[in-house]
Amino acid sequence: MMISDINICVIGLGYVGLPLARLFSTKYKTIGFDMNQARVDALMSGHDATMEVDDALLQEAIEKNGFICTTDIEAIRDCNFYVVAVPTPVDANNRPDLRPLIGASETIGKVISKGDIVVYESTVYPGVTEEECLPVVERVSGLRFNVDFYAGYSPERINPGDKEHTVEKIKKVTSGSTPEIADIVDAVYNSVLINGTHKAPSIKVAEASKIIENSQRDVNIAFMNELAKIFNAMGIDTNDVIEAAASKWNFIKMKPGLVGGHCISVDPYYLIQKAQVYGVLPRVMSSARRLNDGMGEYVANQVIKLMNKKGILVKDANILLLGITFKENCPDIRNTKIADIYTTLYEYSENIVVYDPWANPEQVYNEYGITVVNALPQNELYNAVVLCVAHKEFINLDVRGLLNGSGVVYDVKGVLDREQIDGRL
């Protein structure tokens, strides 16, 4: 297959798939495929609700580059380079849920032709591409892997809301099912990336590299969260400790925090599950997950403790949570741990206002059953204000002016002036 003959289809037009498809459209004929008709309609009107692709860029891709989004499987039959960028969630028991990947593989199996290439970007444990996904493509298509069609794996590195490390600037890991296919996959990605690629020696190595990127951050943040619990119990400001330690040249400076989103809070479970299949118990990773998953409840209990110390009745108290998304300046609510803060506080009071100018209230309610407002209620005062997310709208907010007398201000993100707060993580 010549690079000039590449026709690309990106399956899954979410936070990962859409930016990638838009980028590919600058060099190749590109079609985006998604099962959500409302999502496709919005994109074809020139608007991306995730805010990962600027509307002007999206409209340029459609009008200038001929980029198309569709739910019609027949529209992608003539493509020859399929990229899968669907979610890889976990179930209620934190076990990998491969159904979106299997569904995408079935879709590809219905349209793939001899000589075509399938590249997976979804985060998985080592072996999923070759052991779970490609057999589905074979079964549905009747074609043979590495004889009639080929595969690659290039793990996504999208950081939602990050306008500096955008997809074209990210150095991508690539791989292929044969040395020749690895070269083709690498060349296709290289042709649209500013900082190039790293070609891994195998698909499994590429899969494993993605898993440990997020698992490493999960473990590091868990360590900081554990330190925060220790120092809070001692009456020592954790951020002061970190600033002092960071004066040493080889100290890795990180902060405690809530670990949500679709990557760091999910991906480690894929490796944890697979490790146990091989008889290895990943104690450090498992402990990190348990600790980080409990930080929302910990924050809520810290707020309650501060209220009790000030003699504020927690029962039926008026509480304001600033932010619900899993990170700042981004509408992404996936696996947000602010929901855990809300749930714990709700056991004591139903008078909780959640204000987030970035979140979609309908999506939040459908996912968590929590009511969110996009504008701060006027003339309302609170017994406690918790800054949960460091949205730009909150940084210069007069949080103490929102209190009803001697209330409590708790800063989860450590971004407010110390004079304004009563406690922070």
Side-chain angles (χ1 to χ4, degrees), residues 15 50 160 261-262 324-327 330-336 358-359:
Y15 284 86
T50 71
H262 186 65
I324 188 73
T325 63
F326 95 89
K327 66 182 300 187
C330 171
D332 196 345
I333 62 168
R334 292 175 295 178
N335 300 314
T336 177
W358 290 79

Side-chain angles (χ1 to χ4, degrees), residues 230-369:
I230 294 170
F231 295 137
N232 285 341
M234 293 179 173
I236 303 172
D237 189 289
T238 306
N239 286 274
D240 287 345
V241 175
I242 293 171
E243 289 298 327
S247 64
K248 188 171 188 285
W249 65 91
N250 62 350
F251 179 80
I252 301 173
K253 186 178 180 181
M254 299 187 73
K255 286 188 174 184
L258 304 179
V259 181
H262 186 65
C263 293
I264 301 177
S265 65
V266 174
D267 296 348
Y269 287 120
Y270 275 69
L271 190 53
I272 289 170
Q273 189 270 349
K274 194 62 174 179
Q276 294 177 26
V277 172
Y278 284 87
V280 179
L281 181 61
R283 290 184 173 84
V284 173
M285 291 172 57
S286 298
S287 295
R289 279 282 74 238
R290 285 194 297 272
L291 196 153
N292 285 340
D293 272 349
M295 288 306 292
E297 182 180 1
Y298 172 79
V299 166
N301 286 327
Q302 289 294 103
V303 173
I304 292 169
K305 182 179 179 180
L306 288 169
M307 294 175 71
N308 285 332
K309 282 186 173 181
K310 281 197 169 187
I312 300 170
L313 186 63
V314 180
K315 186 178 184 304
D316 299 326
N318 292 326
I319 301 172
L320 174 64
L321 301 186
L322 295 173
I324 188 73
T325 63
F326 95 89
K327 66 182 300 187
E328 64 274 7
N329 306 324
C330 171
D332 196 345
I333 62 168
R334 292 175 295 178
N335 300 314
T336 177
K337 296 306 173 186
I338 288 86
D340 295 340
I341 298 177
Y342 178 93
T343 300
T344 303
L345 292 174
Y346 195 80
E347 294 179 16
Y348 298 86
S349 174
E350 297 182 7
N351 303 321
I352 303 175
V353 173
V354 182
Y355 162 48
D356 193 316
W358 290 79
N360 182 314
E362 183 179 358
Q363 290 181 355
V364 175
Y365 190 81
N366 290 340
E367 183 69 24
Y368 301 105

Side-chain angles (χ1 to χ4, degrees), residues 97-109:
D97 181 0
L98 299 179
R99 287 178 296 178
L101 269 179
I102 299 303
S105 299
E106 290 174 343
T107 297
I108 291 171

Side-chain angles (χ1 to χ4, degrees), residues 4 186 377:
S4 58
D186 192 67

Side-chain angles (χ1 to χ4, degrees), residues 25-163:
S25 75
T26 62
K27 290 286 182 71
Y28 305 97
K29 179 181 177 182
T30 304
I31 298 176
F33 180 85
D34 199 285
M35 299 293 289
N36 187 333
Q37 187 65 56
R39 170 72 170 159
V40 167
D41 291 342
L43 293 177
M44 288 306 294
S45 73
H47 176 65
D48 171 27
T50 71
M51 304 176 72
E52 287 302 302
V53 175
D54 184 78
D55 286 357
L57 277 179
L58 179 57
Q59 291 161 13
E60 179 185 13
I62 294 170
E63 296 168 7
K64 181 180 177 181
N65 304 332
F67 176 52
I68 297 172
C69 301
T70 184
T71 59
D72 180 10
I73 191 172
E74 291 302 316
I76 65 174
R77 189 175 293 277
D78 292 334
C79 296
N80 53 20
F81 194 95
Y82 296 91
V83 180
V84 178
V86 297
T88 44
V90 293
D91 63 18
N93 296 310
N94 293 321
R95 292 175 301 204
D97 181 0
L98 299 179
R99 287 178 296 178
L101 269 179
I102 299 303
S105 299
E106 290 174 343
T107 297
I108 291 171
K110 295 174 183 177
V111 296
I112 196 170
S113 300
K114 286 189 176 182
D116 291 356
I117 298 173
V118 185
V119 179
Y120 289 85
E121 289 227 355
S122 305
T123 304
V124 293
Y125 57 77
V128 167
T129 299
E130 293 159 296
E131 297 166 12
E132 303 289 344
C133 297
L134 296 177
V136 173
V137 179
E138 282 188 312
R139 172 176 56 79
V140 176
S141 68
L143 302 177
R144 293 170 295 171
F145 171 52
N146 268 351
V147 176
D148 299 317
F149 74 95
Y150 306 90
Y153 183 82
S154 180
E156 61 90 1
R157 280 177 169 169
I158 294 293
N159 186 24
D162 190 338
K163 301 307 179 184

